[in-house]
Amino acid sequence: MTSPNDTTADQAFRQSDGHCCGWGANAKWSGSNIVALVLGFVIFWPIGLFFLYWILKGRKVKDLPKSVSGKFYKAKSQFFGVENSTENSVFNEYQQTQYDRIREIKDEIKDRAQRFAHFRDDAKRRADEEEFRRFMGEAPERR
């Protein structure tokens, strides 16, 4: 297999199954992955590079949406402070009822704040009208 003219780099390349530094050793070069890769480069080259990276890491492109949505949900739940749902359906229902209850309380607080703002506006209007009437009653008539 080795010839006397081979360098150590050539020998190392052959020992690594033809993949330099382990990159692409697990690559999944299926038809759908190749089509997705080509379309990614045609649509927008960074998408193609991402698909190439994804394939070289040994993943299938059809698993990409599930992985991305999982990471998006995890990031969203960490940002908003919502814990991931569990596999226990009873707990998930309880958790959902608590979220609904919190949402109802928030809506009630917003409604009360809005009604109080209207009450203050009306009270200020009545006070202004009373002050204006007193002013008009005390002011001498000009003619």
Side-chain angles (χ1 to χ4, degrees):
M1 293 264 207
T2 61
S3 66
N5 297 336
D6 282 348
T7 63
T8 54
D10 292 332
Q11 292 171 1
F13 183 75
R14 283 199 188 93
Q15 289 174 355
S16 67
D17 295 331
H19 300 285
C20 179
C21 306
W23 270 94
N26 297 325
K28 307 280 188 206
W29 292 107
S30 67
S32 61
N33 282 357
I34 294 171
V35 169
L37 179 67
V38 170
L39 287 176
F41 275 109
V42 168
I43 293 171
F44 188 54
W45 67 266
I47 295 172
L49 285 178
F50 180 74
F51 284 167
L52 179 62
Y53 170 77
W54 190 262
I55 294 168
L56 289 176
K57 291 301 279 183
R59 299 176 178 172
K60 296 179 182 177
V61 175
K62 69 179 182 180
D63 296 338
L64 183 64
K66 183 178 179 182
S67 178
V68 169
S69 67
K71 292 201 184 283
F72 178 76
Y73 179 76
K74 183 179 177 183
K76 184 177 90 170
S77 61
Q78 286 177 351
F79 180 75
F80 290 111
V82 178
E83 294 297 319
N84 291 338
S85 63
T86 63
E87 292 183 14
N88 187 332
S89 62
V90 175
F91 178 75
N92 289 342
E93 290 173 11
Y94 169 76
Q95 190 177 29
Q96 188 60 44
T97 58
Q98 295 302 312
Y99 289 147
D100 293 341
R101 195 171 127 236
I102 291 169
R103 190 176 306 115
E104 289 172 4
I105 291 170
K106 285 181 178 181
D107 291 342
E108 183 180 342
I109 290 171
K110 286 179 184 177
D111 182 51
R112 286 184 181 183
Q114 193 175 36
R115 287 187 308 182
F116 183 69
H118 289 304
F119 172 78
R120 288 188 64 197
D121 290 343
D122 291 342
K124 177 143 176 53
R125 173 86 176 160
R126 286 192 302 270
D128 288 347
E129 285 178 2
E130 181 61 33
E131 184 181 10
F132 179 72
R133 286 188 187 129
R134 268 197 335 251
F135 171 74
M136 292 304 286
E138 294 174 2
E141 294 259 341
R142 290 187 190 172
R143 289 196 184 205

